[in-house]
Amino acid sequence: MTVGEEVTPPPAWLDEARPRLRPGVVVGPGLTKGTSTVHFVADGETGAYLQVGPREAFLMSRLDGTRSLTEIGAEYAGRFGKRLAAEHWGQLLGLLGSRALLEPADPAQLDLLREKAEAARGSEGRSALLWRMPIPRATDLVPPAARRFGWLLNPVVAVPLTLAGLAVGVLVGLNWATLYAAIEQGPARWPLTLAGIAITWVMIALHELGHGVACHRYGGRPTQIGLMWRFPLVAFYCKVDDVVTFRTTRHRVATSFAGVYVNLAALPPIGALWLWGPQAGWVHSLAASLLLFGTVAIFFNLLPVLQLDGYHMLEHATSTVHLQSEAARFTAAFLRRGPAGVSGYPRRARWIYAGYAVLAAAVLGPAIFLLVRLWFGTLAGLWGPAAAALILIAEAAAVAAFLTWAVRRRRSAAR
């Protein structure tokens, strides 16, 4: 400022305005996404979500109706070293108003946003390999289930049950041959198979309901419960989108773990039936099959390289978004340009993405090698080594082409 230059005072409305977010609007914590930090804003009344940066989240979290924009602007300057001009406030308030996030909101606008959010949820996740079919009013089951069984999520109860389930899982692994023999030697194979399938479907449903109950317990609500086609399986699913707004890391991790917790809690009574129930017949064989399948399902669900519960637990534990795809992008940048290619990443993000890339390689590398070796041996036994090698090359080319197409389609959709 030069001598004699007039300073334009801030508009009076900055001292007078005290805007307030609607009660159902929640601003989530900062989550790492590539080189940036993002916050998710959830509107519980319309079911809509908004992704914003740290500066916008800072301002929105202070719109409580008690502080003026001038007071919030002073806090903002102390945090970010820059004052907001009146036009910047106008842009922010215009954005929030267009999404009906401020009080008072127009009921007609809320209805329109609610319809748009519902349509967006209905159209996402639909492809040849993934298809979701929501079950109408299935989410209404969650609040009463949370009232009756929410106490099972109390750490005093959950920790012993989890440890007991893990102990049974270890015993299953140590006695795998014995359990498998009980299935092979058991009578009435078809009734056993049908009973196993029916109980398995019930356990999958309870697994997904567990996610919904945990989400409800920690202040969110599931947006969908239904059936999902994920090649090559059909299973239940539960969308708990509100988890990204939970302020506590423990609550986010617990919500993702709740499904596996249900499966772990089921293992001890089934193990008791195996040990102290009838030692022959279809009940004994059924208990063996449930123990084997249940343990395998828990193991695969906890693998952090598959986009199942274990992956989401790791994602929430590290406070990241799209951990797998961002780690792949980080690795590709490093392979292309070395350290210079990832210099724009914060130090914490570099450690997380590099660690996940190493973990994925350590798990998937041996698994792919063993799978290819087994498949090659099978093909070689049928048609000879030369034909087996040609088939593997053709399959590798087909997989590479499919992955290339999937990546390009995802980038196009993102644009």
Side-chain angles (χ1 to χ4, degrees):
M1 182 179 69
T2 60
V3 177
E5 181 181 354
E6 294 186 1
V7 179
T8 303
W13 63 269
L14 292 180
D15 290 324
E16 300 169 356
R18 284 173 167 76
R20 178 182 179 182
L21 295 178
R22 287 191 293 101
V25 178
V26 180
V27 181
L31 305 174
T32 299
K33 183 181 180 183
T35 59
S36 61
T37 299
V38 300
H39 297 252
F40 287 93
V41 180
D43 184 350
E45 189 171 350
T46 64
Y49 292 84
L50 176 67
Q51 180 179 306
V52 299
R55 296 172 184 264
E56 294 83 358
F58 180 88
L59 295 171
M60 292 178 66
S61 65
R62 283 155 177 77
L63 298 179
D64 55 7
T66 64
R67 287 174 280 197
S68 69
L69 297 184
T70 299
E71 293 170 333
I72 298 174
E75 293 184 51
Y76 180 90
R79 173 71 176 273
F80 297 100
K82 182 180 180 181
R83 287 192 173 273
L84 288 176
E87 56 267 26
H88 295 147
W89 277 116
Q91 292 172 3
L92 176 64
L93 296 177
L95 170 65
L96 300 181
S98 67
R99 294 179 176 269
L101 296 177
L102 297 174
E103 287 192 327
D106 180 8
Q109 187 180 10
L110 291 176
D111 290 339
L112 180 61
L113 291 170
R114 192 177 294 111
E115 292 175 4
K116 289 183 177 180
E118 186 65 29
R121 280 194 297 271
S123 62
E124 69 177 355
R126 290 189 174 184
S127 67
L129 302 179
L130 177 64
W131 189 274
R132 290 189 178 98
M133 184 180 69
I135 298 176
R137 305 189 65 82
T139 54
D140 294 345
L141 299 173
V142 173
R147 288 192 295 269
R148 292 190 178 186
F149 305 108
W151 59 272
L152 290 170
L153 294 172
N154 190 307
V156 176
V157 178
V159 171
L161 276 179
T162 298
L163 293 176
L166 290 173
V168 174
V170 171
L171 292 175
V172 169
L174 295 175
N175 295 275
W176 192 270
T178 303
L179 291 164
Y180 188 77
I183 299 173
E184 287 292 308
Q185 299 167 7
R189 179 65 56 84
W190 277 108
L192 174 65
T193 301
L194 293 176
I197 292 174
I199 295 175
T200 296
W201 268 77
V202 171
M203 288 306 304
I204 294 174
L206 293 176
H207 173 113
E208 299 302 330
L209 185 61
H211 289 305
V213 167
C215 181
H216 184 276
R217 178 180 176 85
Y218 299 130
R221 59 181 180 181
T223 54
Q224 285 182 357
I225 295 178
L227 287 172
M228 176 177 64
W229 157 259
R230 175 180 284 179
F231 180 83
L233 302 174
V234 176
F236 289 103
Y237 76 94
C238 178
K239 284 181 66 64
V240 287
D241 297 329
D242 280 351
V243 69
V244 294
T245 66
F246 294 169
R247 307 296 304 183
T248 306
T249 301
R250 180 173 64 87
H251 290 169
R252 298 198 300 270
V253 174
T255 301
S256 294
F257 177 68
V260 173
Y261 169 57
V262 170
N263 298 134
L264 285 169
L267 286 184
I270 299 174
L273 179 62
W274 158 262
L275 288 175
W276 299 304
Q279 296 302 298
W282 74 273
V283 173
H284 190 62
S285 298
L286 178 62
S289 64
L290 293 176
L291 285 173
L292 288 179
F293 182 81
T295 301
V296 170
I298 290 170
F299 172 77
F300 277 99
N301 260 294
L302 289 177
L303 281 177
V305 296
L306 303 177
Q307 290 195 11
L308 299 173
D309 295 341
Y311 166 76
H312 293 297
M313 289 170 60
L314 181 59
E315 199 174 40
H316 294 312
T318 55
S319 295
T320 56
V321 182
H322 304 320
L323 174 59
Q324 194 173 81
S325 59
E326 292 296 340
R329 189 174 289 110
F330 171 89
T331 304
F334 181 81
L335 293 176
R336 284 195 305 265
R337 299 180 54 199
V342 296
S343 60
Y345 285 82
R347 183 178 180 182
R348 178 178 179 274
R350 290 199 298 267
W351 277 106
I352 290 174
Y353 293 141
Y356 185 81
V358 171
L359 175 64
V363 175
L364 293 177
I368 293 174
F369 173 78
L370 292 175
L371 180 62
V372 171
R373 182 177 178 180
L374 176 64
W375 185 231
F376 178 82
T378 302
L379 295 174
L382 294 173
W383 297 298
L390 290 175
I391 293 174
L392 284 178
I393 293 173
E395 290 176 339
V399 170
F402 172 77
L403 292 177
T404 302
W405 169 81
V407 169
R408 290 178 177 174
R409 183 181 181 186
R410 176 175 294 182
R411 290 177 178 172
S412 177
R415 288 195 296 266

